[in-house]
Amino acid sequence: MLRWTVHLEGGPRRVNHAAVAVGHKVYSFGGYCSGEDYETLRQIDVHVFNTVSLRWMKLPPVGTGEREDAPEVPYMRYGHTAVLVDDTIYVWGGRNDTEGACNVLYAFDINNHRWYTPKISGMVPGARDGHSACVLGKAMYIFGGYEQLADCFSNDIHKLDTTTMLWSLINAKGTPARWRDFHSATIIGTKMFVFGGRADRFGPFHSNNEIYCNKIKVFDTETNSWLNTPTAQLLPEGRRSHSAFAYNGELYIFGGYNARLDRHFNDLWKFNPEAFSWKKVEPKGKGPCPRRRQCCCMVGDRIILFGGTSPCPEQGMGDEFNLMDHSDLYILDFSPNLKTLCKLAVIQYNLKDLLLIDPYPSPLPHACTHTQTPPAVSGCVVSFVRS
C-alpha cells in the first residue's frame, strides 16, 4: 500500500541541492534559497535528517584556521551531484554565482565529517551543472549537464573508478541520448536509465528552442552501449528538474517542470524495464504540491523527499519569476506498518479522545505532522495515549 505518511515543515529551505542516504540518515549538501547571497564564497552547508527521530541538524562549518575558505572544502553551490561509495560521499560539479561551474571532486568522510580532495588522474569532465551522477559498484557515472567552457548541453558519459581515482570518457556505442541538463539517470541492475531533462531542438547549443523528451534512453554499462528500445504506449509529460529513484527493479519519477507547457508537476509514474511500459501511480495520503528541483532519497522502504520550488499560489502554476522555495519534507512509504496505519486512521477520522499532544517527540512519529526548524528544534507530535 503506497502512501504519503509524513509531512514536516521547518527544515532547511533549499533548491537545486544534492542529497544522499546513509543508513537511517539523509545528508543534504548546498543548494540555494531565493534572497540569499551566492556571490560571497563560503563553505557548502550540510544538513542531516534523522529518519527515526524526524529531526534536522545542521553540521558546524569545518575549521579552517584564519581563512574563510579552504581548497579541500567545496564552496556553496547548486546544480551539483552527490553519491555514496562505502563511507565516502563524493560531491561533484555545480555552480556558484561568483566562481561559475566547478569540476573539482570533493570527498566527505561520513565517519568524521571531514572534507578532502582526492588525488585524481585521467580525463576529468569539464565543469558543469545540471548533470546526473549514479553509482554502480565502485564506479560513479556522470552524464549530460550544461558545460560552462563549451557553453552547450552535453551527452557524454564520464566514469570515475573510485578504487583508482581514474576519470575516463566512455566511448559509447549506439545512438546516444540527446544533449540535455536537469534530467535523471538511475541505475537498475547494470543499466542506466535516462529520463527527461531540458534539451534544444537544434542540437547541443541553447537557442531558446527548448524541448522536453519523455522517452527513456538506456545505457548498458557492461557493453558501453546505448540500447535500441521500443517506445512505450503511455508516456508521462516531458520534464526537467524532477526526482527519480529505483524500487524493486522499477523506476519511479516525481514532479518536475516543463517550460513549453508552463507547468509544474506533482505526479508519480512507475516504469517497468521488462515490459518497457509506464503506469501512473496514485499513492494514498496527501503528497507534495507541484514542484521542481527537490531532492529525494530512499531509506529502506521509504522515500524521503524535501525542498524544491513552486509557483507562488497567487501567481498561478507556471510563472518562472514568482517562485516559492520550500522547507518541507514528505515521506512516501511503500510498506507502512500497522502502527503507522493506525495513527493515520486516528488523524483522518479526528478521534480526539484517543489523542494527546506530546511536548516531546514520540519515538514512533512516522505517521503524523511534526514541525521543527534545524538544528533539532522540536515541535509537537501527535501520538497515542499510553496506559
Side-chain angles (χ1 to χ4, degrees):
M1 181 191 297
L2 187 58
R3 178 183 286 272
W4 295 103
T5 56
V6 172
H7 171 207
L8 311 180
E9 293 285 349
R13 194 178 304 276
R14 284 290 172 260
V15 179
N16 240 353
H17 42 310
V20 172
V22 182
H24 67 279
K25 295 180 179 179
V26 173
Y27 286 74
S28 177
F29 299 88
Y32 69 84
C33 179
S34 300
E36 291 186 359
D37 174 19
Y38 292 93
E39 294 185 355
T40 303
L41 287 185
R42 64 185 191 278
Q43 287 187 24
I44 197 168
D45 58 18
V46 183
H47 293 88
V48 183
F49 179 70
N50 188 316
T51 64
V52 176
S53 66
L54 300 186
R55 287 172 174 261
W56 281 104
M57 177 183 69
K58 184 176 181 180
L59 297 186
V62 176
T64 57
E66 296 181 357
R67 300 171 54 193
E68 290 297 322
D69 64 329
E72 68 274 8
V73 182
Y75 54 77
M76 197 66 174
R77 63 191 61 206
Y78 50 90
H80 52 294
T81 53
V83 300
L84 175 69
V85 180
D86 296 329
D87 291 336
T88 303
I89 296 172
Y90 294 101
V91 172
W92 191 85
R95 65 168 45 253
N96 179 282
D97 293 348
T98 298
E99 295 293 311
C102 178
N103 69 341
V104 177
L105 179 70
Y106 295 94
F108 182 79
D109 189 318
I110 61 174
N111 295 313
N112 57 26
H113 289 176
R114 302 295 294 182
W115 289 100
Y116 63 97
T117 50
K119 186 177 181 180
I120 58 172
S121 60
M123 188 176 294
V124 180
R128 68 192 67 195
D129 70 323
H131 57 286
S132 59
C134 49
V135 167
L136 179 60
K138 305 289 186 181
M140 176 175 72
Y141 290 86
I142 297 290
F143 171 72
Y146 200 87
E147 293 193 58
Q148 177 170 284
L149 186 61
D151 195 20
C152 67
F153 297 106
S154 171
N155 68 346
D156 290 337
I157 302 175
H158 295 262
K159 177 182 176 181
L160 174 69
D161 185 336
T162 62
T163 59
T164 62
M165 285 298 155
L166 175 68
W167 279 108
S168 58
L169 172 64
I170 293 179
N171 183 21
K173 299 181 284 289
T175 304
R178 195 175 184 86
W179 310 271
R180 67 187 73 193
D181 66 356
F182 293 106
H183 54 282
S184 61
T186 309
I187 294 287
I188 301 178
T190 58
K191 296 180 175 66
M192 180 175 73
F193 293 79
V194 174
F195 176 80
R198 175 183 61 173
D200 192 274
R201 188 176 302 279
F202 301 111
F205 296 97
H206 196 198
S207 67
N208 291 320
N209 286 276
E210 294 182 357
I211 58 174
Y212 295 86
C213 181
N214 61 351
K215 295 179 177 62
I216 289 279
K217 288 291 291 184
V218 183
F219 177 76
D220 189 331
T221 63
E222 293 185 322
T223 62
N224 283 341
S225 300
W226 289 100
L227 303 182
N228 293 320
T229 55
T231 300
Q233 298 301 310
L234 178 66
L235 295 170
E237 296 284 0
R239 63 196 67 197
R240 64 176 168 95
S241 305
H242 54 285
S243 296
F245 59 90
Y247 181 78
N248 279 353
E250 294 181 303
L251 171 68
Y252 290 78
I253 64 163
F254 171 86
Y257 174 68
N258 185 312
R260 294 187 67 86
L261 298 176
D262 204 17
R263 183 180 171 192
H264 286 75
F265 300 95
N266 67 340
D267 49 354
L268 181 68
W269 289 78
K270 177 174 68 172
F271 176 77
N272 185 306
E274 299 297 325
F276 220 85
S277 62
W278 285 98
K279 178 182 179 182
K280 190 174 183 180
V281 182
E282 302 283 357
K284 302 291 185 181
K286 185 177 180 180
C289 66
R291 66 185 64 200
R292 58 173 152 154
R293 296 177 176 174
Q294 65 279 348
C295 271
C296 81
C297 295
M298 173 164 284
V299 177
D301 290 324
R302 296 182 295 164
I303 300 300
I304 315 299
L305 188 149
F306 60 99
T309 191
S310 300
C312 295
E314 64 272 17
Q315 298 293 337
M317 291 309 296
D319 194 322
E320 179 83 22
F321 302 104
N322 291 278
L323 298 172
M324 174 179 63
D325 299 340
H326 296 294
S327 61
D328 56 2
L329 179 146
Y330 289 82
I331 295 181
L332 179 64
D333 200 330
F334 278 85
S335 184
N337 58 35
L338 181 59
K339 191 167 292 187
T340 294
L341 294 175
C342 288
K343 286 190 174 186
L344 286 169
V346 169
I347 294 169
Q348 179 180 352
Y349 292 105
N350 199 24
L351 302 179
K352 295 181 179 179
D353 55 326
L354 295 180
L355 297 176
L356 59 80
I357 300 296
D358 265 348
Y360 303 102
S362 163
L364 294 167
H366 304 292
C368 52
T369 299
H370 180 194
T371 303
Q372 60 187 54
T373 302
V377 179
S378 62
C380 294
V381 172
V382 181
S383 62
F384 287 112
V385 174
R386 297 177 177 84
S387 58

